[in-house]
Amino acid sequence: MLLSALKKGEKSRIVSIDTNCTNEVYQRFLDLGFVPGALVELQNISPLGDPMAFMIHNTLISLRKIDADKIIVENGKEETSC
Amino acid sequence: MLKNACEVCELNTTSDLRPLGESSSKYDYTIALAGNPNTGKSTIFNALTGLKQHTGNWPGKTVSSAKGNFSYKEHEYQLVDLPGTYSLLSNSEDEEVARDYILFGKPDVTVVVVDAGRLERHLSLVLQIQEITSKVVVCLNLIDEATRHGVVVDVRSLSKDLGVPVIATSARKKEGISDLLLAIHQVATGKIVPEKHEIKGIPSEMQKALYEVSNALYSLDNTLPSRSWLAMRLLQNDESISTALSSGKLSTKINKDNFRPVLDLAIAYRAEDGMQYSRKFSEAIFNTVFKIVKTTVQSDEQQRAFRVDRAIDNIVTSKYWGFPIMLLMLGGILWLTIIGSNYPSSALSYLLLDQLYPLLKEGAVSIGFPWWLSGFLIDGVYLATAWVVAVMLPPMAIFFPLFTLLEDFGYLPRVAFNLDRIFNKAGAHGKQALTMSMGFGCNAAGVVATRIINSPREKLIAIITNNFSLCNGRWPTQILMATIFIGALAPSYMSHTISTLAVIAIVVLGIGFTFFTSWMLSKTLLKGQSSFFTLELPPYRPPSVLQTIYTSLIDRTLIVLWRAIVFAAPAGAIIWLISNLHIGDTSIAVWAIDALNPIAVIIGLNGVILLAYVLAIPANEIVIPTILMLTAMTLGDATLGEGAGVMFEVSDGEIANILKMAGWTTLTGINLMLFSLLHNPCSTTIYTIYKETNSLKWTTVATFLPIVYGVLVCFLVTVAWNFFS
């Protein structure tokens, strides 16, 4: 499922990053530690619903929903295609 | 300054450290300071050089590289503070600055500052830098914070795994600095030779490509450093590297012609495997990092500090409390500033205006100054300066430390987090919330801070709208008008609260204009979508209160005050001159005021205010003194002192009386507050905008757009006011 589909406080492991995104965005994700296998938790949601803050490698990183949707995580309550 | 016994003790190795600031131009070694954003690089830089780079708890604060010197054990060192970077693999501007320096500047030692509590992410930069140079010292900073978060790092095995010296420090507490100095010294002088580190886990087909390209480089110049890294970048299509190589910047033996076949080889491999190279390389780095971290770091995520951070975040970003808390913080700072500056302001004006001013006048008479000289110097230059000090110093001395405490604590990125959706909808960059916040201190600083925004389109939007952050120079105008014309309407026990609310309303209106203008620009002149945006929300750090108060008083308050004084003195001279030089029977000032008055009345202001805004283009700080001096002058000298352009009554009540005598109404007060928010930026900011944009067109837009708003808004308010009353 997509990273943005996590619920607040829910943890999951990153499966892959959408390969269609530009190299710059992909590199930036890697720089921030969003790599396959990393454990990520949705910790906070902005009062206006977007962006979201994810805890990854002990760091709180804020991503806009549209960007978080480029990351696919484990745990399939429902299968999402992308 | 007195030194305590420990600082001069021979057993203390830092006693060998002599910070040399910016002064020295000769040095034996250059040291580069690299690291992820927000790891305390600037704090280390300040500790070693004795300089006072502004530090703050938000990523991206250092936007260009600063240089400073120090000497240690008979050698002089130049330290270069590079912009914070997450990696050296992507192509953003600040990363290229850092990377180019390490590669082309060939520093003798590169100190990589990492956050001890976040090694999983920060070690990747260390490994990347080790690909370029082996002369690396790792500074494991924020070790105190890591301990508080229950993270324990095995420094010795980390050092062994990486093959370089690793020094644990807590720069804010000045712990570990002496060990760091020693390690820098040993690597610089060659007493320690760090090992070359190899990234493992690179797929074999990629290794082959790397090997061949790197060999081709070797055949051109067998002394070329960082060959495998250069080969990697060529495979990743890094144009600045191929340009640097073909232009002979990296090696005199390589030129356009003999480099061409190497580039062709790299291009051939690139065509085979496309972008996969950089991705596989990054993944290999991360796998190495994870392996190292697994064996050297133990962490307990159930630690209290983690829970505290989490609990604070749950409140300050919560759906219901997020926005009220932001307003409360803003209101609290404003309220403390208004209440707190009242008494020192009256004390200062009593001292400078009621006591010192008559003494100076008498003194001038007794030593036989002609009237025009004492008028020019004392009624003009001295009075304007004294006014600026009395009006500006107290609010600044309260506002800046409070704001800095909030900044150090780590609250500002949360503001950006809360407001991001609105900036996103307005087509602006999420980090604009940070530059906007900086604008509350000083717009010129806010404009410089926009360098953290990579997209040129979004940077321009942030620059143009920064003026809608009510800067510190304008607060005294707001506070005075709110107190006299709005607070006075309320019963006395509520007047401070009401005045504060009025100023908050203006600040919020300014934020509204920021959003509106950003939105309008991204729909018209600067069309586009907001770009990819990530923001690190740093852990909360208990601010060191005393140090913050000291540095924000010395560094910010006094600098800004000095600037105000520098502009106030000539302004005072001009005010006195135009009040006392006559054309026919009328002084130049009265001519100007009469000429401006008809226009001013239409927008609910008056000629004095407009003239004051013309005179105050160099600095908003002098608006109020100018208005008061000009008003006193136009009222005639019968009630208010000896010469035209003289003004020395200062308490709020007296000012209110004078302004009302000059025909001011509540409408004038409200419109002045609005016009103070919506008018051209001060000349320093305009110049800064020109430097940052390099465009006359955008500087003109940024200068005149707010005036158009101001005239329109004041006009509409005046029409509405006259309609309803």
Side-chain angles (χ1 to χ4, degrees):
Chain A
M1 66 181 203
L2 299 178
L3 180 60
S4 63
L6 286 179
K7 291 189 186 67
K8 195 175 171 212
E10 197 182 346
K11 284 180 196 167
S12 184
R13 258 177 217 291
I14 295 178
V15 176
S16 64
I17 296 170
D18 183 359
T19 42
N20 291 323
C21 66
T22 65
N23 218 21
E24 190 207 330
V25 172
Y26 191 91
Q27 183 62 52
R28 186 62 68 185
F29 276 133
L30 295 183
D31 290 347
L32 293 169
F34 287 91
V35 284
L39 193 64
V40 56
E41 176 190 352
L42 174 59
Q43 196 182 303
N44 289 102
I45 302 170
S46 165
L48 299 172
D50 188 29
M52 299 165 159
F54 297 95
M55 185 57 95
I56 181 156
H57 304 317
N58 283 339
T59 311
L60 197 55
I61 302 280
S62 151
L63 293 179
R64 285 174 175 170
K65 198 164 187 282
I66 186 167
D67 298 317
D69 280 348
K70 291 171 187 142
I71 295 173
I72 296 113
V73 291
E74 274 177 11
N75 184 357
K77 277 172 205 149
E78 48 185 27
E79 284 296 316
T80 341
S81 62
C82 68
Chain B
M1 208 189 336
L2 275 174
K3 290 194 166 169
N4 66 34
C6 288
E7 275 175 81
V8 291
C9 171
E10 292 235 331
L11 291 172
N12 177 357
T13 36
T14 34
S15 65
D16 290 339
L17 169 70
R18 274 194 304 127
L20 298 172
E22 282 171 315
S23 61
S24 188
S25 60
K26 64 169 183 46
Y27 43 83
D28 309 313
Y29 299 107
T30 44
I31 314 295
L33 204 54
N36 277 227
N38 211 34
T39 46
K41 286 203 321 299
S42 298
T43 315
I44 295 210
F45 180 83
N46 292 346
L48 293 179
T49 60
L51 290 171
K52 292 203 177 64
Q53 276 255 70
H54 177 56
T55 59
N57 189 7
W58 50 284
K61 193 194 56 42
T62 307
V63 278
S64 59
S65 33
K67 289 179 181 169
N69 293 39
F70 64 90
S71 88
Y72 177 74
K73 287 195 195 288
E74 282 108 49
H75 290 294
E76 292 200 359
Y77 296 82
Q78 181 173 59
L79 189 63
V80 181
D81 189 12
L82 301 173
T85 53
Y86 289 111
S87 83
L88 299 176
L89 295 171
S90 45
N91 294 316
S92 73
E93 205 182 323
D94 43 355
E95 296 198 358
E96 279 187 7
V97 171
R99 186 201 66 197
D100 286 357
Y101 188 81
I102 297 171
L103 194 60
F104 307 139
K106 301 193 181 80
D108 296 295
V109 183
T110 301
V111 177
V112 192
V113 185
V114 297
D115 180 342
R118 292 176 182 70
L119 281 180
E120 295 96 326
R121 239 189 55 208
H122 291 204
L123 275 187
S124 132
L125 183 67
V126 177
L127 295 182
Q128 290 174 39
I129 289 175
Q130 282 188 285
E131 284 285 297
I132 305 181
T133 169
S134 58
K135 287 172 162 184
V136 169
V137 171
V138 171
C139 169
L140 200 61
N141 195 29
L142 301 168
I143 195 82
D144 52 333
E145 192 174 284
T147 312
R148 212 167 62 235
H149 284 158
V151 177
V152 181
V153 183
D154 180 349
V155 180
R156 284 180 65 174
S157 49
L158 181 62
S159 172
K160 225 166 89 191
D161 284 356
L162 292 170
V164 299
V166 176
I167 312 296
T169 61
S170 167
R172 291 209 316 172
K173 296 182 184 160
K174 305 227 156 108
E175 285 167 14
I177 299 294
S178 53
D179 295 342
L180 179 65
L181 275 166
L182 193 65
I184 291 174
H185 172 81
Q186 286 172 323
V187 173
T189 53
K191 282 177 192 150
I192 293 182
V193 182
E195 285 167 35
K196 185 106 189 75
H197 196 269
E198 293 270 319
I199 306 268
K200 293 182 188 71
I202 295 174
S204 59
E205 74 272 23
M206 196 177 158
Q207 270 175 357
K208 181 171 168 280
L210 270 174
Y211 180 75
E212 288 195 7
V213 176
S214 138
N215 262 3
L217 286 171
Y218 180 80
S219 65
L220 296 182
D221 177 357
N222 58 8
T223 57
L224 186 71
S226 324
R227 263 193 314 275
S228 67
W229 190 84
L230 291 170
M232 164 68 56
R233 291 311 288 171
L234 290 177
L235 287 170
Q236 290 168 1
N237 195 16
D238 185 327
E239 279 173 23
S240 67
I241 294 298
S242 50
T243 317
L245 280 164
S246 68
S247 66
K249 194 174 172 186
L250 279 174
S251 159
T252 47
K253 289 184 189 160
I254 300 176
N255 56 45
K256 210 171 180 177
D257 297 324
N258 66 15
F259 177 62
R260 190 68 231 179
V262 183
L263 188 60
D264 286 341
L265 182 69
I267 290 171
Y269 274 113
R270 207 187 293 153
E272 239 168 65
D273 211 358
M275 297 197 305
Q276 289 308 311
Y277 280 118
S278 54
R279 298 188 177 182
K280 280 179 183 156
F281 183 66
S282 298
E283 280 164 20
I285 286 183
F286 264 100
N287 285 333
T288 314
V289 167
F290 289 146
K291 271 184 207 138
I292 295 176
V293 169
K294 221 175 199 170
T295 54
T296 55
V297 178
Q298 284 185 312
S299 67
D300 171 13
E301 300 209 3
Q302 297 311 308
Q303 269 289 315
R304 199 183 140 268
F306 263 119
R307 294 205 308 270
V308 171
D309 270 24
R310 197 171 274 236
I312 298 176
D313 269 335
N314 279 340
I315 299 168
V316 299
T317 66
S318 84
K319 206 168 176 177
Y320 302 106
W321 291 106
F323 279 89
I325 286 174
M326 278 194 316
L327 279 175
L328 221 70
M329 291 275 192
L330 180 68
I333 290 188
L334 272 177
W335 189 78
L336 284 171
T337 307
I338 292 177
I339 296 270
S341 55
N342 221 352
Y343 303 100
S345 244
S346 349
L348 275 174
S349 49
Y350 174 77
L351 198 74
L352 295 175
L353 300 159
D354 290 354
Q355 300 295 313
L356 197 54
Y357 171 74
L359 278 179
L360 284 174
K361 283 294 260 189
E362 282 167 29
V365 172
S366 67
I367 57 170
F369 270 28
W371 72 272
W372 54 267
L373 188 59
S374 82
F376 179 83
L377 288 178
I378 299 167
D379 296 338
V381 176
Y382 171 76
L383 266 191
T385 314
W387 257 107
V388 166
V389 174
V391 173
M392 292 301 305
L393 183 58
M396 280 194 304
I398 297 171
F399 175 82
F400 275 140
L402 286 176
F403 186 80
T404 313
L405 285 178
L406 214 55
E407 195 185 340
D408 282 354
F409 179 55
Y411 183 64
L412 291 191
R414 271 74 186 180
V415 172
F417 181 68
N418 285 349
L419 291 176
D420 180 61
R421 195 184 166 87
I422 312 178
F423 279 108
N424 193 4
K425 289 260 172 204
H429 200 277
K431 286 184 187 163
Q432 196 177 320
L434 294 173
T435 64
M436 183 179 85
S437 307
M438 293 307 287
F440 288 123
C442 167
N443 292 130
V447 170
V448 173
T450 60
R451 290 182 195 166
I452 58 172
I453 297 170
N454 278 330
S455 131
R457 185 189 76 86
E458 290 162 353
K459 185 181 161 181
L460 261 178
I461 291 178
I463 287 177
I464 294 170
T465 54
N466 197 270
N467 190 40
F468 301 122
S469 292
L470 198 67
C471 78
N472 212 270
R474 296 184 263 175
W475 294 49
T477 313
Q478 299 292 341
I479 293 170
L480 189 68
M481 288 301 118
T483 311
I484 293 179
F485 289 103
I486 297 173
L489 299 177
S492 64
Y493 67 91
M494 280 180 68
S495 63
H496 279 312
T497 315
I498 298 291
S499 323
T500 308
L501 286 175
V503 180
I504 292 175
I506 294 288
V507 172
V508 171
L509 184 71
I511 297 174
F513 268 100
T514 301
F515 289 139
F516 171 73
T517 310
S518 304
W519 175 79
M520 196 183 69
L521 286 170
S522 50
K523 291 280 174 243
T524 56
L525 293 175
L526 291 165
K527 270 202 182 82
Q529 294 288 310
S530 44
S531 65
F532 182 63
F533 155 74
T534 58
L535 179 72
E536 182 182 335
L537 303 176
Y540 292 101
R541 290 180 187 150
S544 34
V545 178
L546 287 177
Q547 200 193 342
T548 301
I549 290 175
Y550 174 78
T551 50
S552 60
L553 272 180
I554 300 302
D555 293 352
R556 290 173 144 194
T557 311
L558 289 187
I559 285 169
V560 176
L561 183 73
W562 174 243
R563 193 182 80 93
I565 291 171
V566 166
F567 287 116
I574 292 171
I575 294 165
W576 188 85
L577 283 177
I578 61 171
S579 308
N580 287 281
L581 291 179
H582 290 70
I583 301 175
D585 287 339
T586 325
S587 68
I588 298 175
V590 173
W591 275 101
I593 291 168
D594 286 347
L596 290 169
N597 214 34
I599 316 165
V601 169
I602 300 174
I603 56 171
L605 297 170
N606 58 45
V608 169
I609 298 176
L610 287 195
L611 180 60
Y613 269 101
V614 174
L615 291 174
I617 288 174
N620 281 295
E621 288 86 345
I622 60 178
V623 165
I624 282 293
T626 310
I627 285 176
L628 294 175
M629 287 166 81
L630 287 172
T631 305
M633 188 263 310
T634 48
L635 280 179
D637 46 7
T639 46
L640 292 158
E642 298 104 288
V646 179
M647 166 70 219
F648 59 92
E649 298 286 355
V650 266
S651 71
D652 286 356
E654 294 287 346
I655 292 173
N657 286 340
I658 293 162
L659 291 179
K660 280 173 187 154
M661 249 197 290
W664 289 49
T665 61
T666 309
L667 175 67
T668 326
I670 292 173
N671 274 345
L672 177 55
M673 288 173 81
L674 291 167
F675 197 72
S676 153
L677 174 72
L678 303 167
H679 72 94
N680 56 285
C682 71
S683 57
T684 310
T685 306
I686 296 175
Y687 177 65
T688 311
I689 292 172
Y690 179 71
K691 270 201 309 193
E692 290 297 317
T693 60
N694 232 332
S695 142
L696 218 52
K697 178 186 154 197
W698 292 114
T699 312
T700 313
V701 170
T703 307
F704 289 99
L705 185 70
I707 305 185
V708 173
Y709 281 159
V711 170
L712 273 176
V713 168
C714 289
F715 173 73
L716 290 175
V717 169
T718 309
V719 170
W721 184 275
N722 291 337
F723 181 78
F724 287 110
S725 62

